[in-house]
Each structure stands twice: as C-alpha cells, then as structure tokens.
Amino acid sequence: SYIQITSPENYAGIAGTSYLVTGTGKGLFENNVVVQVNDGNGNILFEQAVVMVTDEIGGEGEWSVEIDLGELEAPTRIIVEAFSPDPSTGLNTALDNIQINANSEFGLPYVEITSPVWNGAVNNSPIIVQGMAGAAFENNIVVQILDHNDETNILAETFATIQTDELAGSGPWTAEFDLAL
C-alpha cells in the first residue's frame, strides 16, 4: 500500500491560502485518505478525510481535496500530510508529506543530496556529489565534505549552481571534489 502527494510540489510557494492537494494511492483501508495541514509546531490548521476514486476497494486510484487555511498574515511554512489510518490498530498504513510556503509566491529554501547515498562508501576521486535544491540566493549553494569524527572539521568545500532558469527556482546541482583517498 502507498500514498503519494502529486500536487503541489514539495517546497513550492503557494500564492494565497487556498489550494488543491492531489495524490494517488493503492491498498488503502476502504480507500480512505486523511489530509492534514499543520504549522510544524503541532498545531493542526486543516484536516479532512476523502475517499480515493478507484474501481475496487484496495485498488489504485486518485484523490484530491481543496485546502482553505483562512487568513494568514505572512508567508507560513506548513506541512501537508496524507495518510490512511487502520482502524483496528490506529496506525497509518501509508503516509506521505510535503512542506510548502503558504501565502507566498516563493518556494521554501531546501537542499537535498541524492548521490552518494547517506553513509555510503566513496572510494574514488574525484568525488561527485549531486542533488536537488531550490530558493537559494542567486541559485548557488555551498557544498562541504566534513570529517566523520569531527563535523566541525571541513575537509573540502566548493560552490554549486542550481540548474534552473528561474531566480530562486528549483532544480538539480552537481559538485566535484578532487581528494586524495
């Protein structure tokens, strides 16, 4: 079983406080999906249950819900969660979440490393580090390699440019380090 939020994109900026959240899922208890929005401090701003549209119970399908957060005075980082609770255990059988910047045309700043994997061995030089990032000043980020035993010790550092045509946009980046291994 799974749930996936397909829109809006993770880290997106949403103008205003009303927006549509869409997604897909499969194998959910009675095709139920609960969409919850919180402010990251545990305060629930919105919650609604929806039934996923599918041809069969437990089948693959799509769901959507219109979110209305009312009045927000300023841009607000929020977390949108979609989950399917199992009434017999109270646990979620599937879960997905995204972070967005409500009431703002600008997305949230983020940096993700996609390669190499966390705690993976690297035994060649140059070391290629890749990822996704967005909403960075002038579309540039700083990438550092830290000493595993002393994370205040920077072993190498370089700049990487986010590949996007938009100012403060989102896209892939690559950094290369020549280290003696």
Side-chain angles (χ1 to χ4, degrees):
S1 61
Y2 77 91
I3 286 180
Q4 181 179 13
I5 298 171
T6 57
S7 176
E9 291 184 22
N10 201 12
Y11 306 111
I14 303 294
T17 59
S18 296
Y19 53 94
L20 182 68
V21 175
T22 63
T24 60
K26 181 179 181 180
L28 308 179
F29 180 79
E30 295 183 350
N31 297 333
N32 289 322
V33 177
V34 176
V35 177
Q36 187 178 83
V37 179
N38 69 67
D39 64 4
N41 295 321
N43 300 312
I44 297 173
L45 305 175
F46 177 92
E47 182 174 270
Q48 183 174 331
V50 298
V51 177
M52 184 174 59
V53 178
T54 181
D55 292 336
E56 59 184 313
I57 296 292
E60 191 166 24
E62 298 179 347
W63 54 269
S64 66
V65 62
E66 184 71 33
I67 307 288
D68 186 353
L69 299 178
E71 295 292 322
L72 294 176
E73 293 181 21
T76 304
R77 177 186 295 252
I78 60 174
I79 299 168
V80 179
E81 292 184 327
F83 55 92
S84 182
D86 180 343
S88 64
T89 64
L91 301 174
N92 295 328
T93 59
L95 169 73
D96 192 18
N97 62 58
I98 61 171
Q99 295 181 52
I100 60 176
N101 201 13
N103 206 27
S104 175
E105 63 183 279
F106 300 106
L108 294 168
Y110 75 98
V111 176
E112 294 178 350
I113 296 174
T114 57
S115 177
V117 296
W118 171 253
N119 240 0
V122 178
N123 57 7
N124 59 331
S125 188
I127 296 172
I128 307 295
V129 181
Q130 297 176 315
M132 295 289 293
F137 180 71
E138 295 183 350
N139 294 335
N140 291 308
I141 60 171
V142 176
V143 182
Q144 298 175 333
I145 295 179
L146 304 176
D147 184 335
H148 179 71
N149 297 318
D150 177 7
E151 292 186 3
T152 62
N153 184 18
I154 300 170
L155 301 175
E157 179 177 89
T158 191
F159 290 95
T161 300
I162 302 166
Q163 302 304 306
T164 179
D165 293 332
E166 301 174 49
L167 183 61
S170 183
W173 57 268
T174 300
E176 184 174 313
F177 296 90
D178 285 315
L179 296 175
L181 298 176

